[in-house]
Amino acid sequence: CSSTKRKMGKKKSEPAPTMAQTADRHALYQQAVQNPKKDVTFLLQSFSRIRQREAHTFREDFCGTAILSVEWCRRSPENTAVGVDIDEPTLDWAKEHNLKGAGGAGERVNLIAADVLNADVGQTVDVLCAFNYSACLMKTRRDLLRYLRAAKSGLAEDGILALDLFGGLDAFQVKKYTKRFRDFTYEMDTTYVNLLTHEASFKIHFRFPDRSVIKGAFCYDWRIWTLPELKEALLDAGFKKIEIWWAEVDPEDEEQYEYTQEKLIEPTEMINSYILAYN
């Protein structure tokens, strides 16, 4: 009887995960797109200037990861915030990654999974904001007015609504905007624009040094509202005073945006605006 020796085959080692596979798209978005300290400073200073008192209650519509709400509550132990978003998994991410590590500030943020048009938050607030160009989610003037009136009803008697908007000559161009960070590159890709309806599609991609990529990390189907259209809609929704603060966008130095209330905006490639509405 003969014996045979079996050769043990070596297991193939699995390839190491790519940077794209291990990255967190929400964390990347916060780093690439959002500037909570600057936004909240603007909101607090604007309210104090207009109302001659400090603001303490805040509502963040379309809040996503609620990073503004957390920053708001960090500014004072008296501050509270409500974040409203229809996407529950994103709110869960916010609780785990933004609220949990914020100590007392995180405990004063209440997140509600609901449609902003009929969310029951149980209170009115000093400042209600819908940033990240959320007004563009409403594609018709009827839907836009419906949201603006709902937002107005959520304000205290001397409350202020804050929106943001992008514009300029490049807003209606099919093109790609790129910004490089140390560990990744952010791309905002305009893939479709209809000049008859101002409907447009955008995709955000994240590229990494190992050549991996998160394609379509975030996708948007928007109506590009212009500043005059938004201002007129706010007036029709019942607001009496509108302030428009705008800055020319410099992709290489976004920290140095200088917002102004100048009445004339000359043709510029890209601008970013804060819109304040109140009575």
Side-chain angles (χ1 to χ4, degrees):
C1 173
S2 65
S3 63
T4 60
K5 293 182 180 179
R6 293 183 180 178
K7 291 183 179 180
M8 299 297 292
K10 290 184 179 179
K11 278 189 176 182
K12 289 185 178 180
S13 59
E14 294 185 4
T18 65
M19 296 179 75
Q21 289 172 328
T22 59
D24 186 320
R25 67 187 184 115
H26 291 301
L28 293 170
Y29 180 89
Q30 289 185 161
Q31 183 178 348
V33 177
Q34 297 189 275
N35 192 334
K37 290 185 178 179
K38 190 164 191 174
D39 286 341
V40 170
T41 295
F42 176 82
L43 294 173
L44 288 168
Q45 290 178 349
S46 295
F47 189 91
S48 179
R49 169 180 55 83
I50 293 167
R51 298 306 190 197
Q52 298 299 303
R53 72 173 181 88
E54 292 184 355
H56 291 296
T57 55
F58 178 66
R59 173 171 160 180
E60 183 182 3
D61 278 356
F62 309 97
C63 69
T65 63
I67 193 168
L68 290 184
S69 293
V70 173
E71 179 62 26
W72 177 276
C73 290
R74 280 196 173 112
R75 297 302 178 95
S76 168
E78 295 181 58
N79 287 3
T80 61
V82 177
V84 183
D85 200 288
I86 203 167
D87 190 73
E88 199 157 359
T90 303
L91 294 181
D92 290 339
W93 188 97
K95 292 173 185 175
E96 182 64 26
H97 295 86
N98 286 339
L99 273 65
K100 185 179 284 187
E107 293 172 3
R108 285 178 276 111
V109 177
N110 178 27
L111 298 183
I112 298 175
D115 187 329
V116 295
L117 290 172
N118 49 37
D120 181 12
V121 302
Q123 67 176 110
T124 56
V125 296
D126 296 328
V127 176
L128 189 156
C129 88
F131 279 177
N132 298 323
Y133 314 134
S134 295
C136 295
L137 290 167
M138 275 63 73
K139 291 189 174 183
T140 67
R141 195 171 191 277
R142 179 182 177 182
D143 288 342
L144 179 61
L145 278 170
R146 188 180 171 207
Y147 171 68
L148 296 177
R149 287 168 178 150
K152 187 173 183 293
S153 70
L155 291 171
E157 187 175 350
D158 63 347
I160 294 176
L161 172 65
L163 308 171
D164 66 350
L165 195 65
F166 68 98
L169 299 177
D170 282 356
F172 296 95
Q173 301 294 322
V174 175
K175 63 186 303 182
K176 186 176 292 185
Y177 163 80
T178 301
K179 184 178 179 183
R180 288 179 174 81
F181 294 83
R182 189 183 69 176
D183 298 324
F184 67 94
T185 297
Y186 161 85
E187 291 181 356
M188 179 69 161
D189 193 6
T190 308
T191 59
Y192 166 82
V193 176
N194 185 331
L195 292 179
L196 291 178
T197 64
H198 285 191
E199 292 183 55
S201 297
F202 303 86
K203 292 183 179 180
I204 289 177
H205 318 294
F206 296 108
R207 298 186 182 275
F208 300 90
D210 65 354
R211 297 187 178 182
S212 61
V213 58
I214 304 177
K215 295 197 73 174
F218 298 93
C219 302
Y220 307 98
D221 190 15
W222 283 346
R223 158 79 180 267
I224 304 175
W225 294 100
T226 64
L227 286 170
E229 287 175 322
L230 187 53
K231 181 177 179 180
E232 290 168 4
L234 285 162
L235 292 170
D236 286 349
F239 293 96
K240 293 182 173 60
K241 296 181 181 179
I242 315 295
E243 294 184 8
I244 295 174
W245 294 77
W246 66 275
E248 185 174 352
V249 173
D250 179 358
E252 300 302 321
D253 194 7
E254 292 188 3
E255 293 298 322
Q256 299 304 314
Y257 283 6
E258 292 187 11
Y259 285 85
T260 178
Q261 260 195 298
E262 289 181 21
K263 301 297 182 184
L264 176 64
I265 301 180
E266 295 180 352
T268 304
E269 288 185 0
M270 184 65 73
I271 64 169
N272 197 68
S273 304
Y274 289 122
I275 302 96
L276 303 177
Y278 54 95
N279 288 332

